C-alpha cells in the first residue's frame, strides 16, 4: 500500500528536472543573467544586488519551477583555469546557455576558442544551445548578427541540435526577441 501511495504522490507532485549549464568567459555576465532570470520567474525572490556580483569561483546554482518542470541552472566560472572543469558537467546537461560579452572585442577570439572546445565535445552532441550576445545596451558592442557570424559552428557540429542566438542585457534584464528561460524549457521538454 505504501508503494502505491508513494507512487501516486510522486506522480502528482514530482517535477520533471532538467539541468542547464551557463557557460562563457569571466565577466561575460553569466551570474547577472542567472540572477535576473531567478528574479523574473521565482515569485518573492528579491535577488542579489547586481552591483555586488563578483567573479564566480566554482559555480552558482539556480532553480526555477515552471508548472511541472524544474530547471536547475549551473553557472560555472569562466576563468581559463576553471574552464577545464566544464566538461565534468556535460553528461548530466540537458541544455547549454553560452554567454558572450559582446562589448569586449579584445576577448572575442578567446571566447570563441572556449566555445569551440565546448561545442565540439562529444558529450554535448545533440544538446540544445542558446548563444547570448550580452551587454547589447552598451555602445559600440558587436551586434547579434556579428556574434552569430563569429560563433556560428559548422553544420556538422550543430547536427540535429536546436541552436539559437539572442541579444540580451543581463544587467537591464531584457532580451531582444524572446525570454531565454522559456526558450530553454521549449528546448529541453
Amino acid at each position: 500500500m505504501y508503494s502505491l501511495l508513494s507512487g501516486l504522490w510522486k506522480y502528482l507532485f514530482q517535477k520533471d528536472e532538467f539541468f542547464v549549464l551557463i557557460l562563457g568567459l569571466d565577466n561575460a555576465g553569466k551570474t547577472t543573467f542567472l540572477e535576473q532570470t531567478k528574479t523574473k520567474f521565482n515569485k518573492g525572490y528579491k535577488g542579489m544586488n547586481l552591483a555586488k556580483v563578483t567573479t564566480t569561483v566554482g559555480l552558482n546554482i539556480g532553480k526555477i519551477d515552471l508548472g511541472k518542470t524544474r530547471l536547475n541552472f549551473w553557472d560555472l566560472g569562466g576563468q581559463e583555469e576553471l574552464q577545464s572543469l566544464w566538461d565534468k558537467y556535460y553528461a548530466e546537461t540537458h541544455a547549454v546557455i553560452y554567454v558572450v560579452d559582446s562589448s569586449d572585442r579584445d576577448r572575442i577570439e578567446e571566447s570563441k576558442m572556449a566555445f569551440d572546445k565546448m561545442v565540439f565535445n562529444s558529450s554535448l552532441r545533440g544538446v540544445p544551445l542558446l548563444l547570448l550576445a550580452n551587454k547589447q545596451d552598451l555602445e559600440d558592442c558587436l551586434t547579434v548578427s556579428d556574434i552569430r557570424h563569429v560563433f556560428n559552428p559548422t553544420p556538422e557540429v550543430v547536427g540535429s541540435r536546436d541552436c539559437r542566438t539572442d541579444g540580451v542585457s543581463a544587467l537591464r534584464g531584457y532580451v531582444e526577441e524572446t525570454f531565454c528561460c522559456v526558450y530553454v524549457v521549449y528546448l529541453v521538454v
Side-chain angles (χ1 to χ4, degrees):
M1 185 66 158
Y2 171 78
S3 297
L4 178 64
L5 291 176
S6 174
L8 179 63
W9 178 264
K10 285 182 181 177
Y11 175 76
L12 292 175
F13 297 108
Q14 188 173 12
K15 296 183 179 290
D16 294 327
E17 286 197 273
F18 298 98
F19 296 92
V20 180
L21 278 177
I22 303 176
L23 303 174
L25 297 185
D26 54 307
N27 200 35
K30 300 178 302 295
T31 303
T32 304
F33 172 77
L34 177 59
E35 283 300 310
Q36 288 284 26
T37 304
K38 290 190 309 189
T39 301
K40 286 185 188 286
F41 285 93
N42 290 334
K43 291 180 182 177
Y45 180 75
K46 301 291 185 215
M48 65 188 313
N49 182 347
L50 297 180
K52 295 186 177 186
V53 172
T54 61
T55 301
T56 300
V57 178
L59 92 140
N60 293 311
I61 297 173
K63 292 182 182 189
I64 295 173
D65 293 329
L66 297 168
K68 288 192 68 140
T69 303
R70 170 170 283 164
L71 294 177
N72 296 292
F73 291 91
W74 295 327
D75 162 24
L76 301 180
Q79 298 89 335
E80 188 174 346
E81 53 276 356
L82 294 177
Q83 291 174 24
S84 63
L85 300 174
W86 289 0
D87 62 348
K88 308 298 185 252
Y89 294 85
Y90 293 168
E92 298 176 43
T93 299
H94 296 98
V96 174
I97 299 174
Y98 191 87
V99 182
V100 178
D101 181 348
S102 57
S103 70
D104 192 353
R105 293 173 183 264
D106 295 337
R107 296 185 73 198
I108 285 295
E109 282 305 313
E110 181 184 352
S111 185
K112 170 70 167 127
M113 288 172 39
F115 175 82
D116 284 346
K117 187 175 180 184
M118 176 266 308
V119 82
F120 281 98
N121 189 296
S122 62
S123 297
L124 291 178
R125 185 170 290 126
V127 173
L129 173 65
L130 179 60
L131 179 63
L132 296 181
N134 191 23
K135 304 184 184 180
Q136 288 293 299
D137 56 319
L138 300 178
E139 290 184 31
D140 198 37
C141 67
L142 295 168
T143 65
V144 174
S145 62
D146 293 336
I147 296 295
R148 189 178 292 125
H149 177 72
V150 170
F151 285 82
N152 189 19
T154 63
E156 300 84 42
V157 175
V158 173
S160 63
R161 90 173 71 198
D162 285 311
C163 190
R164 180 182 174 107
T165 305
D166 270 328
V168 299
S169 170
L171 190 59
R172 303 231 192 287
Y174 78 83
V175 177
E176 285 184 357
E177 294 178 30
T178 77
F179 195 75
C180 301
C181 188
V182 174
Y183 183 69
V184 169
V185 171
Y186 161 76
L187 290 176
V188 298
V189 174

